[in-house]
Amino acid sequence: MATINENYLKLKAGYLFPEIARRVNAFAQANPAAQIIKLGIGDVTEPLPQACRQAMIHAVHDMGDRATFQGYGPEQGYPWLREKIAAQDFQARGCDISADEIFISDGSKCDTGNILDIFGSNNAIAVTDPVYPVYVDTNVMAGHTGPANEQGEYEGLVYLPINAENNFTAAPPSQKVDLIYLCFPNNPTGAVATKAQLQEWVNYARENQAIIFFDAAYEAFITDPDIPHSIYEIEGAQDCAIEFRSFSKNAGFTGTRCALTVVPKTLTAQTQAGAAVDLWKLWNRRQSTKFNGVSYIVQRGAEAVYSPEGQAQIQDLVRFYLENAKIIRDQLTTAGLQVYGGVNAPYVWVKTPNALSSWDFFDKLLHNCHVVGTPGSGFGAAGEGYFRISAFNSRDNVNQAMKRIISKL
């Protein structure tokens, strides 16, 4: 008889966002007239930039002509896209990242899970709490943890609480860890990290021969010129960090799928016997074996992001969602709630009123306001008593949602 990967049985519940969808669907079926506004999952609502659409249309025509037709592309991504990313996203900010250190993929969510393929099962792993659930769940699935306790914390993970007292930016742990997940601008809290704070992490990683997994999926929303967009703006980071980025939120590619991972060629880890191994070679082999690349049409659309027209259009998109975040932040603050984030990030992190639990506040907003957000406890034990509201929606929906919430508080 076939057997299963029993690590999946250690997962405490359904993945956070499917559970939200289950509750919303049940409410919608019972209340078909309710006009539900979804500010929960971070899915975009505005159309793809025109420059990207035109590039994709042109690429479709390429596929209809034998002379320009494209079959299998390079698993690492087409050079013309990787070169533009290297030049405009990294080298323009003083980061010594080359095109061949960039790997194009179908999502940073996928990559932050898939990266575990090239690491062993005996690493000590640190995550912030609250945390983007994918970081934890994929380690559980890979067998890197023990069972969870009553708070949902998994044996074998080092949890670093982030809260209002530390401005939602944890300091390095006192004990030694090998793999570190950092996300800035942070999902779910909307916090950002200064150069000094990131330098502290890089110094720790180098001293302990650790690897930082740096999720920069929301870097386009940084407006403060003193806040770094990339971990590679920090001295020494190329020796200890892998960076993940996405076109999902800045260019609206959530339904189109394109992202990238940066693995510097200077990055190494060790075998059990202590021999140094180049991580770039392992990731390149992993991608070549288990991934067939992102489609030519989508990559042409992503390339258009780096045109002058594309740059202007994605800046308009980012500005639009940041204005939504400001409305949410300002309205809820005026209503007397404690609010964090929403300045250099598209997420607003709210302290639940009247000591309500995260899921109780979720149900209250859904049933009384017909508004969907994300319960903070779904991001970890330290997220209990908080609630995430996403700025990814139309202006009308954001304004209407704030009116509903404020009227029911």
Side-chain angles (χ1 to χ4, degrees):
M1 177 182 291
T3 60
I4 63 166
N5 177 356
E6 295 192 19
N7 292 304
Y8 278 67
L9 303 180
K10 293 185 292 190
L11 294 169
K12 286 293 291 181
Y15 180 57
L16 172 62
F17 298 112
E19 172 60 18
I20 290 173
R22 186 192 67 78
R23 294 192 185 207
V24 172
N25 290 338
F27 176 80
Q29 290 175 6
N31 302 272
Q35 295 182 339
I36 300 172
I37 298 175
K38 297 180 180 180
L39 300 176
I41 189 170
D43 196 3
V44 296
T45 58
E46 304 309 294
L48 287 171
Q50 183 179 15
C52 299
R53 299 198 306 269
Q54 291 299 321
M56 290 180 183
I57 291 169
H58 190 276
V60 170
H61 291 309
D62 287 347
M63 301 297 278
D65 187 325
R66 181 176 286 108
T68 52
F69 172 80
Q70 300 290 324
Y72 288 124
E75 295 91 349
Q76 301 80 5
Y78 286 98
W80 34 261
L81 175 56
R82 300 164 82 192
E83 288 163 4
K84 287 183 171 62
I85 293 169
Q88 296 191 40
D89 284 345
F90 295 100
Q91 294 164 12
R93 301 193 66 84
C95 306
D96 186 19
I97 296 298
S98 63
D100 61 355
E101 293 174 310
I102 294 167
F103 295 79
I104 307 301
S105 76
D106 58 352
S108 56
K109 173 182 175 180
C110 306
D111 283 355
T112 56
N114 291 335
I115 197 69
L116 296 175
D117 282 3
I118 68 171
F119 288 93
S121 59
N122 59 343
N123 289 299
I125 301 164
V127 296
T128 59
D129 181 9
V131 64
Y132 182 43
V134 172
Y135 309 156
V136 171
D137 289 357
T138 52
N139 274 287
V140 175
M141 293 171 179
H144 297 169
T145 75
N149 62 22
E150 292 181 356
Q151 288 75 42
E153 298 170 331
Y154 285 93
E155 177 185 308
L157 295 182
V158 176
Y159 289 88
L160 307 174
I162 55 177
N163 47 49
E165 286 69 33
N166 60 21
N167 293 316
F168 300 100
T169 53
S174 56
Q175 71 266 50
K176 183 183 184 303
V177 298
D178 304 301
L179 302 178
I180 303 159
Y181 288 85
L182 296 179
C183 176
F184 291 109
N186 185 255
N187 178 14
T189 69
V192 291
T194 66
K195 287 185 178 180
Q197 288 167 330
L198 290 180
Q199 187 68 67
E200 188 177 4
W201 275 107
V202 168
N203 293 344
Y204 171 91
R206 296 183 72 186
E207 291 167 6
N208 291 277
Q209 296 182 300
I211 300 295
I212 296 171
F213 296 154
F214 191 76
D215 188 344
Y218 302 97
E219 61 80 26
F221 294 87
I222 296 173
T223 57
D224 186 335
D226 294 327
I227 299 298
H229 288 242
S230 170
I231 190 71
Y232 303 120
E233 295 178 52
I234 309 304
E235 183 178 356
Q238 286 176 250
D239 297 327
C240 64
I242 294 172
E243 182 164 309
F244 306 91
R245 290 200 183 192
S246 173
F247 292 93
S248 286
K249 304 310 195 304
N250 66 337
F253 274 48
T254 56
T256 313
R257 312 308 303 143
C258 196
L260 62 108
T261 291
V262 182
V263 183
K265 289 189 174 180
T266 52
L267 205 57
T268 63
Q270 293 184 346
T271 65
Q272 291 278 12
V277 177
D278 293 339
L279 291 178
W280 183 94
K281 292 181 180 178
L282 295 186
W283 185 245
N284 186 61
R285 178 58 191 269
R286 189 270 174 204
Q287 293 297 85
S288 298
T289 302
K290 300 178 74 172
F291 185 58
N292 260 350
V294 175
S295 79
Y296 170 76
I297 295 167
V298 168
Q299 290 193 62
R300 281 299 187 191
E303 180 192 28
V305 164
Y306 298 96
S307 68
E309 299 81 8
Q311 287 290 289
Q313 290 160 17
I314 66 167
Q315 287 168 14
D316 286 343
L317 276 178
V318 167
R319 189 179 304 112
F320 174 82
Y321 291 125
L322 283 175
E323 289 171 356
N324 279 353
K326 185 177 187 302
I327 291 169
I328 296 168
R329 181 184 173 95
D330 290 350
Q331 291 289 311
L332 296 183
T333 299
T334 300
L337 293 178
Q338 291 179 262
V339 179
Y340 307 92
V343 177
N344 292 287
Y347 296 122
V348 178
W349 189 240
V350 183
K351 182 69 176 174
T352 58
N354 304 318
L356 285 173
S357 74
S358 298
W359 279 106
D360 284 346
F361 190 58
F362 172 90
D363 288 334
K364 180 177 181 178
L365 290 189
L366 176 60
H367 289 266
N368 296 348
C369 309
H370 305 167
V371 173
V372 177
T374 309
S377 61
F379 297 102
E384 179 54 77
Y386 289 92
F387 199 76
R388 193 191 76 175
I389 298 180
S390 168
F392 294 115
N393 216 304
S394 70
R395 184 62 45 78
D396 287 345
N397 277 350
V398 166
N399 285 328
Q400 181 61 35
M402 291 305 101
K403 289 180 181 177
R404 294 183 190 176
I405 292 173
I406 291 170
S407 69
K408 299 293 184 179
L409 288 178

